[in-house]
Amino acid sequence: NYDERILYSCMSDMINAARAQFCFLPAFKTDIRLDSCASFQADFQGSKDEKTLDNYAPYKTTYYRLRKYGMSGNGDELVTKVKAYLGETEYSYYDLCLAALQTILKNVKTAEVLLDKQYSYLGIGFRTDDMMKNMYFSFVLGNDRTFNIHRPPYSARNVPYTKGQARRD
């Protein structure tokens, strides 16, 4: 019974606070395409009830999932699994986000990815499993190269070339 907007806001605030505290970095920017990519993976994890970076064949890696939503494929992804239900009580938004963030920051490799200064965009996706006991999170990190803003499509790049040497007059 978690409200998606509140959980998304709480999670992004906690990640931005951790980046500011540990590395003095600015807050992440958000993009709907990164959120969609992260939700795609979180839905897969929730349906399989397994924490994994892999997906089905056409979208097996983060690169292909980013390409699915019209991005270049330059990005990184972190996934985590957190208990969302304890006995008869549910965790609060703060406890749920803190537990997810702690699992990422405890591991040196994943903490380096989350706190890396090359990433400036963040997409967050989350879903519970079928029994609603675990919450699966997916964080997709990107930068300006992820969006290929100033690069024309391949078909528009018919640059003429010559086979011989250019003449100088």
Side-chain angles (χ1 to χ4, degrees):
N1 295 334
Y2 292 106
D3 185 7
E4 293 181 6
R5 290 176 288 158
I6 296 172
L7 185 58
Y8 183 90
S9 176
C10 183
M11 194 71 210
S12 62
D13 288 346
M14 290 185 83
I15 290 173
N16 289 329
R19 281 175 54 99
Q21 180 182 0
F22 297 128
C23 298
F24 306 106
L25 294 172
F28 277 120
K29 302 172 204 163
T30 59
D31 189 83
I32 189 71
R33 293 178 290 176
L34 286 175
D35 292 337
S36 300
C37 184
S39 296
F40 185 78
Q41 182 62 21
D43 290 341
F44 176 76
Q45 291 180 87
S47 66
K48 287 291 185 183
D49 198 14
E50 175 186 358
K51 181 180 93 166
T52 179
L53 278 172
D54 293 334
N55 207 322
Y56 286 126
Y59 309 115
K60 191 166 180 77
T61 63
T62 306
Y63 173 82
Y64 292 114
R65 287 190 291 275
L66 287 169
R67 298 289 295 188
K68 176 185 187 323
Y69 291 101
M71 294 175 277
S72 70
N74 295 324
D76 211 343
E77 185 173 18
L78 299 170
V79 294
T80 186
K81 172 183 172 182
V82 179
K83 283 193 170 275
Y85 184 76
L86 180 64
E88 295 180 4
T89 61
E90 294 179 351
Y91 287 123
S92 68
Y93 292 103
Y94 177 78
D95 293 334
L96 186 67
C97 294
L98 185 64
L101 195 57
Q102 281 178 343
T103 58
I104 290 175
L105 293 177
K106 280 182 184 178
N107 187 347
V108 175
K109 291 180 182 179
T110 58
E112 284 178 356
V113 172
L114 186 66
L115 302 175
D116 195 352
K117 66 180 178 182
Q118 77 170 336
Y119 298 119
S120 57
Y121 288 91
L122 173 69
I124 301 172
F126 45 86
R127 182 173 185 252
T128 60
D129 61 350
D130 294 334
M131 301 299 287
M132 294 187 193
K133 292 190 177 189
N134 298 315
M135 179 75 76
Y136 293 91
F137 285 94
S138 174
F139 306 104
V140 178
L141 305 160
N143 51 25
D144 291 332
R145 288 182 29 206
T146 305
F147 299 103
N148 267 352
I149 296 170
H150 299 294
R151 185 175 182 187
Y154 186 72
S155 61
R157 287 188 265 158
N158 338 355
V159 180
Y161 63 93
T162 60
K163 293 183 181 179
Q165 293 180 346
R167 287 182 17 169
R168 294 182 192 198
D169 293 329

